[in-house]
Amino acid sequence: LSRIGDELYLEPTESGLSLRAVNSSRSAFASFLFAPLFFQLYEPGSAGPDTELFRCKVHMKSFLGIFRSLPSLEKSVGKCLILLKPRASRLVLQLHCKYGVTKTHNLAFQECERLQAVFNTQRCASRLCAPARVLSEAVVHFPPTLAEVTLGTGPGGKISLRNYMEDEAEPSKTMVTELWLAEDEFQSVAVAPGSQITFCLKEFRGLLSFAEASNLPLTIHFDEPGR
């Protein structure tokens, strides 16, 4: 989430604790839902008949700072208690450590609107599914400073990745990196001929690193640019 945005949105619901982030241009969004069974104890609070449960956002760096040394935390911390205190405008995190030591962190927060991306994968004309490792090895060939990459289709069902170029850019003065992936490298391919879409590479790399570490396949749905 920290690779997506600078603020962390927390929203306790009946179905679990939602952690979300969005980038500054609102072109990338990520959401993780921790179901009640994930916790030893989960109490989302109560809301009135005409009101919703409270939600807030905190600075990502402040939140990450509490968990910055995971190996030592796993050895010394028995449990973590997260308390949302709307009246005090504080998010309280308590680390209950060995030998009766309790570390308490009080983070100031802001109330916020509900953060939810609106999309319908069923309406997308193209769909790809591949192991995260395949796409991770592909984007390695692009420079770290590259802002955007274009995913497209070519002859023979091949999938291409290339650095995005403005139409008016002179090709002779621009270095082009282009990579072709065969259809058999994907688990499934259903792509509209001639389709292509451009997106931010930084957020895509963050998603790939998580998916690869979790050994998860990646499914990509896309349609016309701008949708």
Side-chain angles (χ1 to χ4, degrees), residues 6-222:
D6 297 327
E7 294 176 317
L8 177 66
Y9 290 72
L10 297 98
E11 183 175 353
T13 67
E14 293 294 337
S15 56
L17 177 63
S18 170
L19 303 181
R20 300 172 181 173
V22 64
N23 65 353
S24 57
S25 60
R26 294 194 169 240
S27 63
F29 164 83
S31 174
F32 286 79
L33 179 68
F34 293 87
L37 286 174
F38 175 83
F39 303 94
Q40 293 174 336
L41 173 67
Y42 177 73
E43 296 176 352
S46 58
D50 300 322
T51 60
E52 296 181 346
L53 290 169
F54 190 81
R55 64 182 73 91
C56 68
K57 63 180 179 181
V58 296
H59 287 294
M60 186 73 74
K61 287 184 178 179
S62 300
F63 193 88
L64 286 179
I66 300 171
F67 305 100
R68 65 175 171 267
S69 182
L70 283 178
S72 63
L73 285 179
E74 290 175 348
K75 293 178 182 178
S76 62
V77 178
K79 64 181 178 181
C80 173
L81 179 65
I82 302 174
L83 297 169
L84 188 58
K85 295 186 173 181
R87 292 183 180 178
S89 296
R90 289 289 184 273
L91 176 69
V92 181
L93 292 102
Q94 287 186 345
L95 302 179
H96 293 258
C97 309
K98 291 181 179 179
Y99 313 115
V101 176
T102 300
K103 297 180 180 179
T104 302
H105 302 265
N106 288 278
L107 302 183
F109 65 66
Q110 293 177 292
E111 293 184 41
C112 61
E113 77 283 5
R114 186 174 188 190
L115 188 66
Q116 180 63 57
V118 180
F119 58 89
N120 183 0
T121 56
Q122 300 300 317
R123 294 180 59 188
C124 294
S126 301
R127 179 182 180 274
L128 297 169
C129 184
R133 176 185 50 80
V134 171
L135 295 164
S136 293
E137 292 175 352
V139 299
V140 161
H141 299 281
F142 295 98
T145 55
L146 183 65
E148 294 177 316
V149 67
T150 298
L151 173 73
T153 59
K158 289 184 177 180
I159 305 298
S160 72
L161 281 167
R162 63 179 291 168
N163 53 314
Y164 172 70
M165 293 186 300
E166 295 282 355
D167 294 336
E168 62 269 16
E170 295 184 35
S172 60
K173 294 183 180 180
T174 306
M175 188 183 80
V176 178
T177 302
E178 187 168 22
L179 192 77
W180 291 89
L181 298 170
E183 190 173 351
D184 58 10
E185 295 188 67
F186 294 83
Q187 293 171 341
S188 65
V189 176
V191 181
S195 61
Q196 65 176 28
I197 194 162
T198 300
F199 51 88
C200 294
L201 187 56
K202 175 191 171 186
E203 289 87 351
F204 188 57
R205 287 187 200 271
L207 174 64
L208 285 175
S209 66
F210 169 78
E212 189 174 16
S214 306
N215 197 27
L216 295 169
L218 204 68
T219 304
I220 301 174
H221 300 267
F222 63 99

